[in-house]
Structures are given as structure tokens and as C-alpha cells.
């Protein structure tokens, strides 16, 4: 797939958004990630391939520059981009209510992909806000996979809904002369 200059600039800006917002959230130690806003935005405006590239590159660059743990989660970012683009194609970002459901779908799919990474690469501890919930559930008798799955699903639910809504609001407020020629934006018009 060949991207025009406008799309490449949008993708570069989205990578920066992901890294900057994700790093700020990490420094502040919020119980969210918010590191996929740019990825979902590109999914809404351009489609799944561009969004997958944005998510992958953002996590790999972020991992090289600031946080090596982020690089390990590039498959999750890739899947978030693919899912957001596919959902955008089918009109799931055309209203606030649909966008919230899209956030839930992205949450479930990204959680499924992240569980093996958290469990097998990091032993259940990544330094994120879910570690406390995972430790609590382990202390209550759950096994590691169940503890990671439940704590990540709960944290990701809010994170991915907020991410989807913020990306939707940004996309819906961009000037029409900027978005009208982008391939997927027509599917998200309200």
C-alpha cells in the first residue's frame, strides 16, 4: 500500500502523540495507558494498515528512546491499529455510542494479545498500574494467567474507551478540507 504525503505526515504526528501521551501517563503513574490515541485516530482516518504501522512504530521507537517495556507490546499496538481501522471501515466511529462500543471491542482484542506478553515475558509484572490488581488477585488465590487477564481487562476497558472517544472527537473536529480526501473518514461521518 502506498501512502501519500498527507497520510505520512498524519502517521508521523500520530506516532509522536502516542509516545508523548504514553510517556506522560507513565511518568504520572496513572492507572491508564492512553498510548494508542494516535493509532486509533489513523485507523479512523486512513485505515487498518496505516494504523497498524503507526502502532508498531510508536511502540518500537518509544521502547528504544524511553521505555523498553513498550517495545515488547508492539504486537498489541499493531492489533489495536488493525482493529480500529476495520471498525472504522464498518462505521463504528460514526457516533459517540458506537465509538464507546468500538473501544470495548478494541479492549477485548488487545487484552487477549497482551496476556501472553505480560505472563510469559514479564512474569505478570510490567511496572504498570495493573501490577497491583494482579498481585491482589494472586494473593486471593487466582492463578497468574487469570489474574493478569482480569486486571488487564478491567484497566484496559477504561483506557480503550477513553482512547477511542478522544480519537473520535479529534477526527470529528478536524477541518473537512483536511479529512475529506482521507480514505476512511467517510465511513465515520455522523
Amino acid at each position: 500500500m502506498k501512502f501519500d504525503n498527507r497520510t505520512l505526515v498524519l502517521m508521523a504526528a500520530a506516532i509522536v502523540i502516542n509516545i508523548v501521551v504514553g510517556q506522560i501517563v507513565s511518568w504520572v503513574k496513572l492507572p491508564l495507558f492512553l498510548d494508542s490515541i494516535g493509532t486509533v485516530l489513523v485507523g479512523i482516518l486512513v485505515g487498518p494498515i496505516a494504523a497498524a504501522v503507526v502502532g508498531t512504530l510508536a511502540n518500537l521507537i518509544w521502547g528504544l528512546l524511553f521505555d523498553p517495556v513498550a517495545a515488547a507490546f508492539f504486537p498489541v499496538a499493531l492489533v489495536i491499529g488493525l482493529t480500529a481501522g476495520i471498525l472504522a471501515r464498518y462505521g463504528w466511529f460514526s457516533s459517540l455510542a458506537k465509538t464507546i462500543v468500538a473501544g470495548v471491542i478494541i479492549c477485548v482484542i488487545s487484552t487477549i494479545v497482551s496476556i501472553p506478553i505480560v505472563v510469559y515475558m514479564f512474569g505478570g509484572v510490567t511496572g504498570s498500574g495493573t501490577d497491583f490488581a494482579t498481585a491482589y488477585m494472586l494473593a486471593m488465590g487466582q492463578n497468574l494467567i487469570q489474574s493478569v487477564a482480569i486486571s488487564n481487562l478491567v484497566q484496559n476497558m477504561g483506557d480503550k474507551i477513553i482512547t477511542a472517544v478522544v480519537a473520535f472527537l479529534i477526527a470529528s473536529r478536524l477541518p473537512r478540507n483536511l479529512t475529506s480526501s482521507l480514505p476512511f473518514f467517510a465511513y465515520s461521518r455522523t
Side-chain angles (χ1 to χ4, degrees):
M1 172 174 246
K2 187 175 179 181
F3 301 122
D4 64 5
N5 288 339
R6 182 187 307 190
T7 301
L8 291 172
V9 169
L10 175 65
M11 291 169 68
I15 290 169
V16 171
I17 290 168
N18 283 355
I19 294 170
V20 169
V21 173
Q23 190 61 39
I24 290 170
V25 167
S26 176
W27 284 334
V28 179
K29 299 290 185 203
L30 292 177
L32 298 168
F33 300 110
L34 301 179
D35 58 356
S36 298
I37 293 171
T39 302
V40 175
L41 179 63
V42 170
I44 293 170
L45 298 174
V46 184
I49 302 301
V53 169
V54 165
T56 300
L57 288 177
N59 275 55
L60 291 175
I61 293 167
W62 187 14
L64 287 171
L65 295 177
F66 300 107
D67 184 5
V69 173
F73 287 92
F74 84 86
V76 177
L78 183 145
V79 167
I80 289 169
L82 288 174
T83 305
I86 291 166
L87 290 170
R89 169 59 183 90
Y90 290 103
W92 282 98
F93 291 96
S94 60
S95 71
L96 184 58
K98 285 183 176 182
T99 299
I100 291 170
V101 174
V104 171
I105 294 168
I106 292 168
C107 166
V108 171
I109 293 170
S110 66
T111 299
I112 290 168
V113 175
S114 72
I115 291 169
I117 297 169
V118 174
V119 170
Y120 297 110
M121 284 187 73
F122 297 101
V125 179
T126 61
S128 71
T130 59
D131 292 347
F132 297 112
T134 300
Y136 175 77
M137 294 182 69
L138 283 169
M140 303 301 343
Q142 298 290 330
N143 70 38
L144 181 60
I145 293 173
Q146 290 172 329
S147 298
V148 167
I150 293 168
S151 62
N152 276 279
L153 184 63
V154 169
Q155 181 184 22
N156 276 335
M157 191 64 67
D159 176 66
K160 297 308 179 260
I161 290 171
I162 291 168
T163 295
V165 168
V166 169
F168 165 75
L169 292 173
I170 292 170
S172 64
R173 283 162 177 71
L174 288 172
R176 294 285 180 206
N177 61 349
L178 174 68
T179 58
S180 62
S181 65
L182 294 172
F184 273 60
F185 185 68
Y187 302 122
S188 299
R189 288 193 189 164
T190 53

